[in-house]
């Protein structure tokens, strides 16, 4: 797969701000002549989804959802339908972000969501990563492998299905500190091994690993230059259009 840079706007921008920001990114990307081989994805809030979809129409920018529900339709008060998202132009879905896991999303739910996302023909971006305590106790390899096994339980992607796994050490998200790129490389090798362990159909080339956690314009290349890392999931540094476009250029 080509390199991918994903902006996760979380709950940081309102509808008007999201639409304005999307238009600015669209204009700056065109001016900056970013290499066509880089996939650029925006994950707006659900309320801003339609406005952002309209703002980026006829551009190379793609849309991701920050989450979604496992069912398409029915009596599920407050949930978000994958087929509705697809109709609005969504192509990727973030699943199991650490901020959602902190609110109670379990490995089992993550697995159900990954299955639902693949079934409807979208690409899941599965977030995995250890907490500070896990790392202090030197359990990060085990924790991340376990998360990958659970997320991909009974899932073997077909040749036409893609999966992205975002390695995000929970303890650096939003802190302005990244981990040593060598450590990110090590963890992506751990993830890669976990994928090989459970993959039967051997379409492991359809599963890509990216890095997330305080990625910024001045450190992004340290990660994307690694053979094992295909891109970045970006929170804070995606909240200003010029900064985000600089980050993409530097990647
Ligand atoms: P951050 O967020 O770039 O602000 O650390 C990353 C994420 O939460 O995916």
């Amino acid at each position: 797969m080509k390199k991918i840079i994903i902006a996760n706007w979380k709950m940081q921008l309102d509808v008007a701000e999201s639409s304005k920001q999307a238009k600015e990114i669209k204009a700056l990307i065109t001016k900056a002549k970013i290499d066509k081989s880089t996939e650029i994805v925006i994950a707006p809030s659900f309320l801003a989804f339609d406005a952002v979809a309209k703002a980026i129409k006829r551009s190379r920018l793609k849309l991701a959802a920050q989450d979604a529900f496992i069912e398409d339709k029915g009596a599920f008060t407050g949930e978000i339908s994958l087929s509705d998202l697809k109709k609005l132009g969504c192509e990727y879905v973030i699943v199991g972000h650490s901020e959602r896991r902190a609110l109670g999303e379990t490995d089992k739910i993550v697995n159900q969501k990954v299955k639902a996302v693949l079934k409807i023909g979208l690409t899941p971006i599965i977030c995995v990563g250890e907490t500070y305590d896990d790392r202090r106790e030197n359990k990060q390899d085990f924790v991340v492998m376990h998360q990958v096994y659970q997320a991909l339980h009974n899932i073997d992607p077909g040749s036409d299905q893609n999966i992205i796994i975002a390695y995000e050490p929970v303890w650096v998200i939003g802190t302005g500190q990244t981990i040593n790129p060598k450590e990110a490389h090590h963890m992506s090798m751990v993830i890669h091994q976990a994928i090989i362990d459970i993959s039967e159909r051997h379409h492991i080339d359809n599963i890509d690993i990216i890095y997330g956690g305080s990625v910024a314009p001045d450190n992004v290349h340290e990660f994307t230059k690694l053979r094992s890392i295909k891109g970045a999931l970006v929170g804070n540094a995606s909240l200003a259009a010029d900064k985000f476009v600089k980050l993409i250029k530097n990647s």
Side-chain angles (χ1 to χ4, degrees):
M1 197 193 69
K2 44 192 193 176
K3 182 164 62 186
I4 184 163
I5 307 289
I6 305 152
N8 176 9
W9 289 349
K10 307 188 180 184
M11 205 179 69
Q12 304 275 27
L13 305 174
D14 69 19
V15 178
E17 287 163 345
S18 300
S19 169
K20 183 167 170 273
Q21 165 98 332
K23 284 180 196 151
E24 272 174 36
I25 292 174
K26 180 177 158 182
L28 288 171
I29 293 283
T30 316
K31 254 207 265 162
K33 297 194 177 65
I34 308 271
D35 190 346
K36 282 274 179 288
S37 67
T38 302
E39 177 98 328
I40 307 164
V41 184
I42 297 175
S45 73
F46 289 120
L47 285 177
F49 209 87
D50 194 33
V52 171
K54 288 187 176 114
I56 64 171
K57 233 186 182 135
R58 283 181 290 279
S59 81
R60 59 185 284 189
L61 298 169
K62 303 285 170 63
L63 276 169
Q66 296 178 16
D67 183 36
F69 190 53
I70 48 180
E71 302 286 347
D72 252 6
K73 207 178 175 70
F76 303 107
T77 303
E79 290 296 351
I80 307 283
S81 150
L82 277 164
S83 60
D84 282 354
L85 286 167
K86 196 174 176 184
K87 281 178 207 148
L88 292 176
C90 180
E91 293 184 43
Y92 297 87
V93 182
I94 299 173
V95 180
H97 189 281
S98 62
E99 287 152 14
R100 296 212 57 81
R101 290 183 192 257
L103 291 172
E105 189 146 306
T106 60
D107 283 330
K108 184 158 183 243
I109 298 172
V110 170
N111 177 246
Q112 288 173 325
K113 288 188 176 179
V114 174
K115 284 178 181 156
V117 172
L118 286 171
K119 190 165 160 219
I120 202 144
L122 303 179
T123 300
I125 301 164
I126 307 165
C127 299
V128 296
E130 79 285 0
T131 63
Y132 184 69
D133 284 347
D134 294 334
R135 186 157 279 264
R136 216 182 35 200
E137 292 164 27
N138 206 22
K139 289 199 298 207
Q140 62 274 16
D141 292 12
F142 170 78
V143 166
V144 168
M145 269 192 129
H146 185 74
Q147 285 174 341
V148 174
Y149 289 153
Q150 296 292 306
L152 297 180
H153 184 65
N154 284 335
I155 293 171
D156 209 3
S159 54
D160 56 341
Q161 291 177 318
N162 293 307
I163 294 176
I164 296 172
I165 298 191
Y167 168 60
E168 299 204 294
V170 177
W171 51 285
V172 304
I173 291 177
T175 62
Q177 275 185 335
T178 53
I179 60 165
N180 188 318
K182 280 196 194 126
E183 196 47 40
H185 176 69
H186 167 77
M187 292 309 287
S188 55
M189 289 292 113
V190 168
I191 293 168
H192 192 70
Q193 186 56 50
I195 295 165
I196 292 172
D197 289 350
I198 54 170
S199 175
E200 279 167 16
R201 281 198 279 179
H202 304 298
H203 290 132
I204 54 172
D205 290 348
N206 300 1
I207 307 182
D208 283 304
I209 300 164
I210 64 173
Y211 171 77
S214 296
V215 176
D218 59 355
N219 65 29
V220 63
H221 192 63
E222 295 301 309
F223 297 97
T224 52
K225 75 177 183 198
L226 299 168
R227 206 173 15 92
S228 55
I229 291 178
K230 290 285 171 56
L233 180 54
V234 187
N236 275 334
S238 72
L239 294 175
D242 52 348
K243 193 171 185 183
F244 183 56
V245 174
K246 194 166 168 213
L247 184 154
I248 298 165
K249 265 207 256 178
N250 292 355
S251 73

